[in-house]
Amino acid sequence: AQKVTQAQTEISVVEKEDVTLDCVYETRDTTYYLFWYKQPPSGELVFLIRRNSFDEQNEISGRYSWNFQKSTSSFNFTITASQVVDSAVYFCALSVPDTGRRALTFGSGTRLQVQP
Amino acid sequence: GAVVSQHPSRVICKSGTSVKIECRSLDFQATTMFWYRQFPKKSLMLMATSNEGSKATYEQGVEKDKFLINHASLTLSTLTVTSAHPEDSSFYICSARPLAGGKDTQYFGPGTRLTVL
């Protein structure tokens, strides 16, 4: 079975601070995909990144960066110089294609509040 | 990018009525669509996997007779909440996996907020 843990339920920062959202996953499969989604108050999920299990390179996209560490089964997400518009719930998710279960297993989400 | 629509975006109904939610892939074909449910301030939980032309696969604890899923074409899946009750009030989100997909791509719809009075 797969599991995704986001231990931080809610984080509050002041604008321009850096913030890291933690994600720890569990799976016995060697082939899997990890995702991060942003869910603003409107409810619509906004895709941020997908990473496959064979690519441990860290990725940077503007103010966003992701640190994938297989050794610790973590896929952490950092927002640099946070902005009020970053306020949302962020979900980490996992899919394991080889099991035929292609649906995403989501973590419980981290609510980020960026104060002006 | 690929677009998935859901209709309606918001629905309020009386207890005991049935509500149909549509999920459409607008610019791609999808053999597989997924239905998720999200309670307020909670995570998304998979309800069922909908496969075109065959019966849906329901997750443990999800009543198949209550949540009827039909995937009649490669671009449309419907979820019907039968005899809805207040505890069915939730945010329902679908996602679609392209027929020619790679990297386990899924595209999510904008969600449907159901309120049962």
Side-chain angles (χ1 to χ4, degrees), chain B residues 4-115:
Chain B
V4 174
S5 71
Q6 278 185 244
H7 178 80
S9 58
R10 187 181 295 265
V11 57
I12 301 173
C13 69
K14 291 183 179 179
S15 187
T17 60
S18 293
V19 175
K20 180 187 282 188
I21 302 170
E22 293 185 349
C23 176
R24 290 182 186 274
S25 55
L26 298 184
D27 50 1
F28 64 95
Q29 293 182 323
T31 53
T32 304
M33 290 185 174
F34 302 97
W35 287 96
Y36 297 84
R37 179 176 184 176
Q38 184 181 29
F39 289 106
K41 297 191 177 183
K42 296 293 184 181
S43 187
L44 285 80
M45 301 299 295
L46 179 68
M47 297 176 66
T49 301
S50 169
N51 297 297
E52 187 266 338
S54 64
K55 291 184 179 180
T57 303
Y58 289 82
E59 294 298 296
Q60 193 172 10
V62 177
E63 299 176 60
K64 60 179 69 175
D65 293 332
K66 178 154 188 71
F67 298 99
L68 300 179
I69 291 173
N70 184 280
H71 194 154
S73 77
L74 288 173
T75 59
L76 173 65
S77 175
T78 60
L79 167 68
T80 301
V81 183
T82 62
S83 187
H85 287 95
E87 58 265 29
D88 298 324
S89 298
S90 191
F91 192 54
Y92 293 88
I93 306 175
C94 72
S95 72
R97 187 167 180 274
L99 184 64
K103 302 182 180 180
D104 249 40
T105 303
Q106 287 187 30
Y107 298 97
F108 282 85
T112 296
R113 196 167 300 281
L114 170 64
T115 303

Side-chain angles (χ1 to χ4, degrees), chain A residues 75-89:
Chain A
F75 187 43
N76 297 337
F77 172 34
T78 297
I79 301 175
T80 303
S82 59
Q83 300 176 4
V84 173
V85 294
D86 296 327
S87 297
V89 179

